Structure formats: C-alpha cells, structure tokens
Amino acid sequence: MIRINLLPHRELKRQAQQQQIAILAGMVSFLGIVIVWAVHMVIADKIEYQNGRNQYMNEQIAVLDKQIEEIRDIKSQTAELLARKEVVETLQSSRSEVVYLLDQLVRRLPDGVYLHGVKQVGQDVNLVGYAQSNAWVSTLMRNLESSPWLESPVLVEIKAVTIDNVRQNEFNLKIKLAQSADDDESISVNVPGEF
C-alpha cells in the first residue's frame, strides 16, 4: 500500500524553522545583551579603577609639590646661612686689619690734625678730618706713607672752614692698605674730636 501524506508538511517545516529562528534570535539577542552588559561593567570598573589611580596620583603630586616647596625654602635658607657664614668668615679674617689700620692712624697722626671720619671699602681707606694748617696735612701724608701697613696717600680735597670761630682746614685723604684684603665689606668709624 502506498501512503500519501495529505498534511501540509512544507508549511509545518516552515513553521518549525521560523520557531527555531525566533528562539535562536531570542537567544542571540539575550546573549548580545549579556555581552554588552558585561563589557559595560568591565569598562565601568576599569574607568573607576583608573579614576581611583588618578585621584591617588593627584594626592601624591600635591604632597610632592608641598615637599618641593619645603626643599626650596630649605635651599634658600641654606644659601642665606652660607652667605652669612661667608660674611662672618670675611670679617673674621680681616678684623686684624682694622686693628692695624686704627693703630697706624693713631701712631701716625700729628698733633695739629683731628680725624672726623674713617671709612674702609676693601683696601681703600678714606680719611676725613681737620688740620690747623696745610703743613700738618702734608706731615700726615708723609707719616702715612712711612707706615708698613699703609701706602699711596692721595689728597682728594682740602678747604678752609671755620669751626667755633677757629679757622681750620678740612681735608679728605685716600690711602690704601699695604696688605691685600679680598673683602669688599665697608667699615665706617666716626672719631669724635675737640676743635
């Protein structure tokens, strides 16, 4: 006997295929959504991790900036202290020169001459004072030139002035220290005198 299938088998196959395609499409869509969600979560987690690292780096940069500022302050303080130390060492090394200078000035000063001011800048010494006559100024210059500590006296200016109704000669004299001094420190001494 011959069997004949009168049922619409092609249509049933088509419906079965469509049903399989729909199930497969649903599964693919669900799997796509799961993959997108998983990728989104991984990326969000990495972004959050990187933001945390950036925040940590910014905090460490702020700490380092503060330390750099402190180091700059310490360096400037160190430079100031070294400059002060250098000045003190210079003054320490040249303090005997001032003693010799004042000693020689006192020893070489004639009776008719009074000093009003002494200023030392490096090796140059400027003397300002009063003399009873021009001869006393020239005597002072000869005396200073004969000193082993002083040399090259040069008269800058001499002028007649009246002090307490007494005629005096005000002079400005420059001399050099014979012993070399490497410092440029200024030393000023005002010598009071009776005129």
Side-chain angles (χ1 to χ4, degrees), residues 122-144:
Q123 291 181 297
D124 297 327
V125 179
N126 189 19
L127 303 175
V128 178
Y130 299 100
Q132 293 174 352
S133 70
N134 291 342
W136 289 115
V137 176
S138 62
T139 303
L140 173 65
M141 290 177 68
R142 279 193 300 274
N143 290 347
L144 292 175

Side-chain angles (χ1 to χ4, degrees), residues 102 109 114-118 128 189-193 195:
L102 293 177
L109 200 64
Y114 303 97
L115 292 180
H116 175 63
V118 178
V128 178
V189 178
N190 287 326
V191 180
F195 302 106

Side-chain angles (χ1 to χ4, degrees), residues 7-112:
L7 294 174
H9 67 88
R10 288 190 182 137
E11 214 171 285
L12 288 175
K13 279 186 182 179
R14 200 175 296 137
Q15 283 179 354
Q17 282 180 349
Q18 285 178 353
Q19 195 175 20
Q20 285 176 354
I21 289 176
I23 291 172
L24 190 60
M27 287 174 51
V28 167
S29 299
F30 178 74
L31 187 61
I33 290 172
V34 167
I35 290 174
V36 168
W37 178 78
V39 169
H40 173 72
M41 291 304 290
V42 168
I43 291 174
D45 187 44
K46 287 189 176 186
I47 288 173
E48 185 177 335
Y49 175 72
Q50 189 62 42
N51 285 339
R53 287 184 62 189
N54 290 348
Q55 181 66 26
Y56 174 76
M57 295 299 273
N58 288 335
E59 290 171 359
Q60 293 303 312
I61 287 171
V63 169
L64 289 176
D65 285 343
K66 188 174 181 182
Q67 290 175 349
I68 288 171
E69 190 64 34
E70 290 173 1
I71 289 171
R72 285 184 186 146
D73 290 343
I74 289 171
K75 282 185 178 180
S76 67
Q77 290 173 357
T78 303
E80 289 174 7
L81 289 175
L82 288 175
R84 287 180 186 175
K85 178 185 171 214
E86 186 176 320
V87 168
V88 168
E89 287 175 350
T90 303
L91 289 175
Q92 184 73 14
S93 67
S94 68
R95 79 176 172 179
S96 62
E97 292 177 2
V98 175
V99 173
Y100 291 126
L101 171 66
L102 293 177
D103 180 57
Q104 289 299 308
L105 288 177
V106 169
R107 291 177 188 259
R108 307 292 176 181
L109 200 64
D111 289 334

